[in-house]
Amino acid sequence: MAEPDYLEGDCEELIKPKKLLNPVKGSRNHQDLHRELMMNQKRGLAPQNKPELQKVLEKRKREQVLKAQREEQEAHTKRSDLEIELMKRQQKLEQLELDQQKDEEEQENTPEFVKMKSNLRRTKQEANGEELTT
């Protein structure tokens, strides 16, 4: 690339171009921040543990979780009496089913002689009950 002829200095009439000042670098806040960062770097201190993008994403996630929790609480508080009764009945039925499943598992795990003993007791009690009624 050819050098411009006005750089030679023979034409004093022409205005020589100057480098433009960067207003950001010229600002006092920027200079203070840059000085602080340079001092921290010399000391070996990290200015921030997390990048700004990560902080923003974490803040958004926290806000979404809080919003979901608020909505869930509002949904619980706005339930009608009918819904509450239905929920109670459903919980009772689920509890009964769980109890039945536990009983069945216990019966499957018990030895055969224990089952026979309980059957004998039951038949004995039934026989005693019939004798009392006659």
Side-chain angles (χ1 to χ4, degrees):
M1 186 175 209
E3 298 253 343
D5 57 349
Y6 57 82
L7 290 179
E8 295 172 6
D10 56 354
C11 284
E12 296 178 11
E13 298 169 0
L14 295 175
I15 300 173
K16 295 181 182 178
K18 295 181 180 177
K19 190 173 185 180
L20 295 175
L21 295 176
N22 188 347
V24 174
K25 288 187 178 180
S27 72
R28 185 78 176 149
N29 289 337
H30 183 271
Q31 290 174 358
D32 292 340
L33 180 63
H34 183 68
R35 188 178 308 112
E36 184 179 343
L37 288 172
M38 293 301 289
M39 286 176 28
N40 285 341
Q41 185 179 7
K42 286 180 184 177
R43 291 183 197 156
L45 301 174
Q48 294 177 348
N49 293 337
K50 297 179 182 177
E52 186 177 351
L53 178 62
Q54 188 174 1
K55 285 183 178 181
V56 170
L57 291 175
E58 287 177 357
K59 183 178 177 183
R60 282 187 187 173
K61 187 175 182 180
R62 248 182 289 134
E63 289 174 357
Q64 287 176 350
V65 168
L66 290 175
K67 185 178 178 182
Q69 288 176 349
R70 274 189 249 122
E71 289 175 357
E72 188 175 320
Q73 288 176 352
E74 289 175 7
H76 285 294
T77 57
K78 292 183 181 179
R79 289 189 177 148
S80 66
D81 294 336
L82 177 64
E83 287 178 312
I84 293 171
E85 284 298 319
L86 290 174
M87 291 292 291
K88 287 180 182 178
R89 287 185 182 185
Q90 183 181 3
Q91 288 175 354
K92 286 180 184 178
L93 289 173
E94 288 175 355
Q95 185 64 34
L96 287 173
E97 288 177 3
L98 287 174
D99 291 342
Q100 287 177 353
Q101 286 178 354
K102 287 180 183 178
D103 291 341
E104 289 174 2
E105 288 176 4
E106 288 177 4
Q107 288 178 357
E108 289 176 3
N109 294 337
T110 56
E112 185 68 28
F113 70 91
V114 175
K115 292 178 188 177
M116 293 303 293
K117 188 175 182 181
S118 64
N119 286 342
L120 289 173
R121 283 185 186 161
R122 204 172 318 128
T123 54
K124 185 177 180 182
Q125 288 174 354
E126 290 173 1
N128 289 340
E130 290 176 5
E131 289 177 4
L132 294 174
T133 56
T134 45

